[in-house]
Amino acid sequence: GAGVSQTPSNKVTEKGKYVELRCDPISGHTALYWYRQSLGQGPEFLIYFQGTGAADDSGLPNDRFFAVRPEGSVSTLKIQRTERGDSAVYLCASSPSPGRSSGNTIYFGEGSWLTVV
Amino acid sequence: SQKIEQNSEALNIQEGKTATLTCNYTNYSPAYLQWYRQDPGRGPVFLLLIRENEKEKRKERLKVTFDTTLKQSLFHITASQPADSATYLCALCASGGSYIPTFGRGTSLIVHP
C-alpha cells in the first residue's frame, strides 16, 4: 500500500488478556517506530527498529510489552496481561533512512485504538 | 529532565488571520525540530522540518522559526482557513543518537469562519 497500515483499527479486550497489534510500513522503509498516545497527549515513544533489530526499546513501559520485526518489514506489538491503563491509541510509523542527512521525517499510520475493559 | 512544552489551551482565531503556535523545550540539544498536524482519530502528518542551524523555513502558508538560544520554535499559518483546524504537534530529534522524534502534547487550533 501507499502508506503505513495498522490492524486492527479498533480492539476491545478484557483485562488480563493478550493482544497483538500489527504494522505494515511503507515499502522500502528500514526504520519503524511504535508510539502510544493517550487522550490529550502527544505520541509517546515505545520502540524503534532499524531493519530486524530493536535499536532502541527504552520507551517500553514494562516487560508486558514486546515487539518484533522478524523480516525487517511487518512489525507486531505484543501486550501481555493487559491492564486498563494500557488503553490508548498505538501508532506505528516508518521512515526511509533515519539520521541527520534525511531529517528523519516519519510517516504515521492511523493507529490501533486499544480499549481494555 | 527533558521537556517539550506546547500550550495546552486551544487557540481560537478568526478566518484570514495568522495563527501562531509556540513550542518551548528544555534540556535538549536538537539536531532538528519538526511540526506535525493531527486530525481527530487520525495519525500525525508531517508538515515541516527545521534544522538547528536554520532560523526560518517556509512552505506555502506555513512558516517555522527556530531559536536555539531561546530554545523555542514558532509555527505560523498565514491567511488561516477553517480547514486548518487541527492539533499541531512539535517534535524534537536530538543529536548524537538515532534521531527518534520526541513529541510535545500538541496545541489545538480552531479557525472560525
Side-chain angles (χ1 to χ4, degrees), chain A residues 35 37 42 99-100 103-104 110, chain B residues 32 42-43 49 51-52 99 101:
Chain A
Y35 285 82
Q37 187 173 26
R100 181 178 287 270
N104 208 25
E110 301 292 20
Chain B
Y32 32 75
R42 310 296 297 273
L49 173 151
R51 299 178 191 277
E52 59 184 333
Y99 304 96

Side-chain angles (χ1 to χ4, degrees), chain A residues 14-70:
Chain A
E14 291 180 347
K15 179 175 177 296
K17 298 289 189 186
Y18 169 80
V19 164
E20 287 191 352
L21 306 175
R22 175 189 165 108
C23 173
D24 202 339
I26 293 171
S27 178
H29 281 194
T30 59
L32 185 145
Y33 309 78
W34 283 98
Y35 285 82
R36 176 169 72 174
Q37 187 173 26
S38 301
L39 197 62
Q41 302 297 316
E44 173 193 6
F45 169 73
L46 295 176
I47 187 169
Y48 156 61
F49 286 89
Q50 181 55 251
T52 59
D56 188 334
D57 64 357
S58 61
L60 294 177
N62 52 59
D63 61 6
R64 295 187 297 104
F65 289 75
F66 189 69
V68 296
R69 194 186 184 197

Side-chain angles (χ1 to χ4, degrees), chain B residues 19-101:
Chain B
T20 299
L21 305 174
T22 305
C23 176
N24 295 298
Y25 61 92
T26 54
N27 296 324
Y28 268 104
S29 296
Y32 32 75
L33 186 147
Q34 302 170 334
W35 284 89
Y36 291 76
R37 169 183 173 140
Q38 187 171 27
D39 290 284
R42 310 296 297 273
V45 174
F46 171 79
L47 295 175
L48 275 173
L49 173 151
I50 187 163
R51 299 178 191 277
E52 59 184 333
N53 59 352
E54 296 176 319
K55 297 289 186 190
E56 183 178 297
K57 207 75 168 286
R58 291 175 186 260
K59 179 183 176 183
E60 298 171 353
R61 294 185 295 112
L62 308 180
K63 183 178 88 170
V64 171
T65 63
F66 194 13
D67 188 325
T68 54
T69 301
L70 288 179
K71 299 188 186 299
Q72 180 181 79
S73 174
L74 299 178
F75 176 79
H76 306 272
I77 306 175
T78 57
S80 59
Q81 305 164 2
D84 295 327
S85 300
T87 295
Y88 291 87
L89 299 159
C90 137
L92 271 66
C93 297
S95 58
S98 49
Y99 304 96
I100 298 168

Side-chain angles (χ1 to χ4, degrees), chain A residues 57-117:
Chain A
D57 64 357
S58 61
L60 294 177
N62 52 59
D63 61 6
R64 295 187 297 104
F65 289 75
F66 189 69
V68 296
R69 194 186 184 197
E71 297 177 359
S73 178
V74 170
S75 175
T76 305
L77 178 66
K78 307 180 181 198
I79 311 173
Q80 298 178 320
R81 304 183 304 280
T82 51
E83 300 177 357
R84 293 197 179 87
D86 299 335
S87 297
V89 178
Y90 289 81
L91 294 163
C92 178
S94 68
S95 70
S97 55
R100 181 178 287 270
S101 62
S102 72
N104 208 25
T105 299
I106 65 175
Y107 301 85
F108 281 89
E110 301 292 20
S112 290
W113 292 66
L114 175 66
T115 304
V116 182
V117 296

